Amino acid sequence: MTIKTVSTTPYDDQKMGTAGLRKKSKVVMQENYVENFVQSIFNVIGDAKGKVYVLGGDGRFYNDIAIQKIIKIAAANGVSKLIIGRNGYVSTPAASHIILMNKLDGGFVLSASHNPGGINGDFGIKYANQSGGQAPSQISDKIYQESKNIREYKIYESEDIDLSELGTQKLGDMTIEVIDPVKDYAAMMEQIFDFNALRQLFAKGFRMKFDAMNAVTGPYAVKIFEEMLGAEKGSVINAKPLPDFGGLHPDPNLVYAKELINIMNGKDAPDFGAANDGDGDRNMILGQNFFVSPSDSLAIITDNYALIPAYKDGIFGVARSAATSTAVCRVGAARNLPCYEVPTGWKYFVNLMDSKRITFCGEESFGTGSSHIREKDGIWAVLFWLSIIAATGKSVAEITKAHWQKYGRTYYIRNDYEGVPTEVADKLMADLEAKLPTLKGKSFGAYTVSEAAPFIYNDPVDGSSTKNGLIIKFANDSRIIYRLSGTGSSGATIRVYNEQYKKDDLTGDSAEVLKPLAALAAEIAEITLRTGKTKADVTT
Ligand code: G1P
Ligand code: ZN
């Protein structure tokens, strides 16, 4: 066995987006594509001697191959140790926990999150640093620059490593420890929540369905909900991780989690429903015939922090991405908690958590979490909701409606226009940005523009400044936000976020209530004229 130096040609597209490098599987399968990217990371890290990383993924197509490449490149670059989930599985939240618990130098999670998998689907690599969160832009930009100039990489020449058995093995000087990816994560959840109270809930006959969408959370959910908490067997559906997710699009929302929606809206629906995405950081919460918008979920979780053992003595503050509804900030204001507004992407919460400015945070895109780790956490959110139910004895719908009674309701929908040519999308955004100053004070029917500007975030910790999206605010407590997706693998997706706050009038249908605002949003940005689309491809 030897270390080989291989000469290579750089790719020019290895730029990380909202959450790591995300590409079509076939792009990642090109010669030396993974090798170039991973070597670029090690080049930016510098001396890897003594460093320890976690490695794993959501089990999607090409995970097994990419993992072997990363193991061999890590060994050749002098990494001391890799901690790898058995069979190469680790969820994004569990990886973050492993980094923090063991004080590791970072990790690699192989996932394209909620995007479909398979040879015609997507693949991705997320790189985390010692914070337990994804590397900040200052670092990912350096990696991108490096990847455009890379000329060679180092790789250990050896047989593939067997990852099916727990235990320790060596590759040259590097130690490889294969661990049970579920065990420590489950133990952490047991420390945060009152598992006895949850066991009692299930013992009384409470029924739930959790849809793991044939992705990585299956083993986590079976262990925690069925084995530890006593939910009836079969409560977790689509529990076995499959390379192509069984053809599912593992995005837990009303469009893609159809099987679960049908169960929850059907006869004899269980009391509670939830789903997670491919790598286990997103969640959707459902009651019988009832959907909790992620922005509301964050607000409700925040309002109920004192019910959970780990937070009962108080929380520091809360944060949401700018595109997430303002609901959580109303709870913050009422409870004297600071409420931060950051760009889209979990990495922007990390500094706020590290500096103890916030404890909870979330995004409208089905992401909720707390400072127990530095990623959003799907199962954590589900356990939080179950805990609220156990403590209050109320249903999901009752909890949510009571919240609206108390704080008013923030109606919210997001319209996505997908597959737009990049030039068209870029021009639309640039022209819209140029037009913003002329909109102020203008009235469109009931909507009078009070503010119109790009969203600019100045990080209070590291002083960096990020521009992300365009916001138009109206005098009647409504907002429109436009931004381009940073997680797509081809073309552009224009996201248009619509929100309207109502103190009364709490029982409307979101799509109905927001119809005029959504139409106005499309009109202001000239969406139909420029994209030819008369309606959004996906509405969530
Ligand atoms: C999307 C979501 C964003 C989330 C990210 C990773 O990014 O909108 O909130 O953090 O996926 O899960 P986008 O495609 O909008 O850049
Ligand atoms: Zn994800």
Side-chain angles (χ1 to χ4, degrees):
M1 294 194 292
T2 48
I3 295 172
K4 205 168 70 168
T5 300
V6 182
S7 54
T8 185
T9 315
Y11 290 92
D12 63 2
D13 65 345
Q14 299 194 321
K15 187 172 167 52
M16 291 187 236
T18 314
L21 184 72
R22 201 166 290 182
K23 298 285 167 194
K24 288 271 160 228
S25 299
K26 282 181 181 155
V27 170
V28 179
M29 291 162 77
Q30 295 174 98
E31 195 184 5
N32 295 339
Y33 197 90
V34 170
E35 289 86 340
N36 280 11
F37 182 67
V38 175
Q39 184 65 55
S40 301
I41 293 177
F42 283 120
N43 289 353
V44 167
I45 289 171
D47 190 6
K49 271 205 182 48
K51 297 218 152 75
V52 185
Y53 298 93
V54 63
L55 171 62
D58 62 9
R60 70 178 58 221
F61 172 81
Y62 208 62
N63 234 25
D64 47 354
I65 294 172
I67 281 194
Q68 295 294 336
K69 290 179 191 234
I70 296 174
I71 293 172
K72 292 170 195 173
I73 295 169
N77 277 275
V79 168
S80 286
K81 184 172 172 183
L82 288 179
I83 297 177
I84 307 180
R86 181 165 42 198
N87 295 319
Y89 294 150
V90 72
S91 74
T92 290
S96 180
H97 176 237
I98 291 166
I99 294 171
L100 293 172
M101 184 180 76
N102 301 295
K103 300 196 167 52
L104 305 189
D105 298 286
F108 303 86
V109 175
L110 309 180
S111 171
S113 189
H114 51 286
N115 294 9
I119 189 160
N120 294 314
D122 289 356
F123 193 78
I125 304 178
K126 293 199 263 190
Y127 164 59
N129 63 9
Q130 76 291 344
S131 72
Q134 288 165 54
S137 317
Q138 300 93 299
I139 298 176
S140 56
D141 286 348
K142 272 196 198 140
I143 295 168
Y144 175 47
Q145 292 312 326
E146 185 66 25
S147 72
K148 289 194 287 188
N149 296 308
I150 191 160
R151 293 288 159 201
E152 56 182 40
Y153 64 86
K154 282 192 258 175
I155 190 155
Y156 217 95
E157 282 199 300
S158 81
E159 297 285 298
D160 280 356
I161 305 295
D162 179 6
L163 302 174
S164 64
E165 301 287 339
L166 301 181
T168 301
Q169 47 194 309
K170 281 273 188 187
L171 181 60
D173 292 335
M174 184 176 80
T175 304
I176 296 167
E177 187 187 350
V178 177
I179 61 158
D180 174 350
V182 176
K183 199 170 145 245
D184 292 331
Y185 177 85
M188 169 176 59
M189 291 299 122
E190 200 168 9
Q191 292 222 315
I192 296 175
F193 299 100
D194 181 351
F195 270 33
N196 280 331
L198 296 177
R199 273 190 280 269
Q200 281 166 23
L201 178 71
F202 287 110
K204 282 186 289 194
F206 185 85
R207 288 164 61 225
M208 77 180 278
K209 278 277 183 243
F210 177 95
D211 190 348
M213 305 192 86
N214 297 320
V216 80
T217 49
Y220 292 84
V222 169
K223 171 87 191 172
I224 293 172
F225 302 123
E226 296 186 10
E227 293 172 18
M228 296 173 81
L229 298 177
E232 66 185 330
K233 246 184 153 341
S235 295
V236 181
I237 57 172
N238 298 316
K240 194 174 174 322
L242 300 173
D244 66 348
F245 306 123
L248 291 184
H249 187 149
D251 199 357
N253 60 33
L254 293 174
V255 181
Y256 296 119
K258 282 211 193 73
E259 184 180 345
L260 181 69
I261 306 283
N262 290 341
I263 293 172
M264 294 309 296
N265 293 353
K267 274 214 311 259
D268 195 32
D271 305 287
F272 178 79
N276 274 190
D277 75 331
D279 61 331
D281 54 0
R282 292 185 175 204
N283 75 90
M284 175 170 67
I285 303 293
L286 301 168
Q288 289 171 340
N289 234 316
F290 194 86
F291 164 73
V292 183
S293 93
S295 297
D296 277 347
S297 176
L298 175 62
I300 291 166
I301 279 177
T302 301
D303 204 35
N304 286 289
Y305 72 81
L307 297 178
I308 310 298
Y311 310 111
K312 69 175 191 324
D313 296 332
I315 58 175
F316 292 119
V318 290
R320 59 174 177 80
S321 66
T324 301
S325 100
T326 47
V328 68
C329 290
R330 267 182 276 283
V331 178
R335 292 177 157 269
N336 227 347
L337 296 166
C339 187
Y340 294 83
E341 188 180 35
V342 307
T344 293
W346 208 260
K347 57 187 176 224
Y348 296 102
F349 295 127
V350 171
N351 280 343
L352 299 176
M353 291 194 257
D354 284 348
S355 60
K356 298 197 170 12
R357 284 173 163 82
I358 63 163
T359 303
F360 294 161
C361 47
E363 295 188 284
E364 50 67 41
S365 54
F366 298 81
T368 335
S370 93
S371 54
H372 64 293
I373 53 169
R374 297 294 180 272
E375 292 277 4
K376 52 191 177 247
D377 191 340
I379 285 186
W380 174 90
V382 174
L383 287 167
F384 207 123
W385 268 91
L386 288 171
S387 302
I388 300 174
I389 293 167
T392 60
K394 289 187 183 143
S395 72
V396 172
E398 286 165 349
I399 291 165
T400 308
K401 287 177 182 166
H403 184 87
W404 294 338
Q405 283 290 337
K406 190 167 162 192
Y407 290 101
R409 179 171 175 193
T410 316
Y411 287 92
Y412 187 91
I413 52 165
R414 181 178 101 185
N415 283 320
D416 291 338
Y417 300 87
E418 297 180 337
V420 179
T422 313
E423 325 74 71
V424 173
D426 288 343
K427 178 126 181 24
L428 182 150
M429 291 296 286
D431 291 351
L432 181 58
E433 182 170 349
K435 179 161 108 176
L436 291 181
T438 68
L439 294 178
K440 200 160 174 204
K442 240 184 164 168
S443 289
F444 302 87
Y447 297 87
T448 304
V449 178
S450 57
E451 273 173 61
F455 174 68
I456 294 169
Y457 178 63
N458 296 312
D459 187 306
V461 178
D462 66 20
S464 63
S465 183
T466 307
K467 184 163 114 180
N468 191 267
L470 308 172
I471 305 189
I472 303 178
K473 289 186 188 164
F474 299 91
N476 62 355
D477 278 331
S478 57
R479 307 190 301 162
I480 304 168
I481 295 133
Y482 303 87
R483 56 179 287 282
L484 298 184
S485 160
T487 56
S489 56
S490 60
T493 294
I494 304 167
R495 302 205 195 284
V496 185
Y497 310 81
N498 310 277
E499 156 176 355
Q500 171 113 46
Y501 173 69
K502 301 233 177 187
K503 184 88 197 77
D504 313 300
D505 184 10
L506 305 174
T507 53
D509 171 75
S510 302
E512 275 306 309
V513 170
L514 292 167
K515 212 171 179 176
L517 185 67
L520 179 58
E523 182 194 318
I524 292 177
E526 302 176 348
I527 299 225
T528 303
L529 183 72
R530 287 161 181 264
T531 68
K533 291 177 188 279
T534 50
K535 64 182 196 43
D537 297 283
V538 179
T539 297
T540 47

